Amino acid sequence: MLLDGDAWRRTFDAYERDAWRFEAQPTYTMPREAENVARFLRGEPKPVDHNARWHERVRDYVTSGRTIGRVRVVQRPLTGYQRYQFAWGIPGNVEAGEDIRILDVSQVDCGLPLTRTDWWLFDEMRVVHLNYRPDGTQISRELFAGDIGPYLEWKRVALAHSVPFAAYAEQ
């Protein structure tokens, strides 16, 4: 089942305990971010309200007793988009309460049994695939109806081989 607009928002907001994302694309091409990415790449200062709506949502999830996190897969050299995330996106997300970890596959055995697709795992019961074109443009979000066992294992492996964002950023 494809999830767009309000259906996606309702599905996301309905989680009860834990929302967790596996984020593997080197670049995300999202129209609402395009201007901010361009500003970052030109060396301009970050807008004061950058990503404020997401930060508010994260704070609301955390305040309600829920957790939210992700593992961001990277390989050096970082893409322009990843540098933007590291400088403008991730620090504010972490400050709002999101647990973000980095899995640098240029530093870890590339033979890790992981997928290269993006997905959200909700309450360790529901998986939503995030489908992208090669340029990072999202095509669709799709509720997965199969065995979630591999996703639980991929989450375990990703968490075991990743480090908290702050520790990675210090390197």
Side-chain angles (χ1 to χ4, degrees), residues 21-79:
R21 181 174 176 176
F22 185 77
E23 194 171 49
Q25 305 309 303
T27 298
Y28 295 94
T29 306
M30 299 188 301
R32 71 177 188 273
E33 280 189 336
E35 182 55 34
N36 279 330
V37 173
R39 286 178 181 155
F40 168 78
L41 294 173
R42 289 190 302 260
E44 295 177 17
K46 179 173 81 170
V48 174
D49 64 346
H50 183 266
N51 221 10
R53 288 191 325 187
W54 177 248
H55 297 160
E56 182 179 331
R57 284 181 71 190
V58 169
R59 283 190 292 275
D60 288 347
Y61 298 139
V62 172
T63 299
S64 73
R66 298 180 282 176
T67 63
I68 185 166
R70 69 183 75 205
V71 166
R72 176 67 170 109
V73 177
V74 299
Q75 184 168 8
R76 296 209 175 256
L78 298 179
T79 66

Side-chain angles (χ1 to χ4, degrees), residues 2-21:
L2 294 179
L3 299 170
D4 279 325
D6 290 339
W8 168 237
R9 179 71 185 250
R10 282 191 304 274
T11 298
F12 196 105
D13 288 343
Y15 84 91
E16 295 178 10
R17 294 176 311 283
D18 178 62
W20 189 84
R21 181 174 176 176

Side-chain angles (χ1 to χ4, degrees), residues 20 22 70-73 99 101-104 107-109 112-114 151-164:
W20 189 84
F22 185 77
R70 69 183 75 205
V71 166
R72 176 67 170 109
V73 177
D99 177 28
R101 300 176 63 83
I102 306 300
L103 174 54
D104 188 335
Q107 295 179 346
V108 177
D109 177 13
L112 291 176
L114 293 170
Y151 296 89
L152 296 173
E153 178 62 10
W154 290 329
K155 178 182 177 183
R156 185 195 66 74
V157 169
L159 287 170
H161 293 278
S162 61
V163 297

Side-chain angles (χ1 to χ4, degrees), residues 144-149:
F144 177 70
D147 176 18
I148 66 162

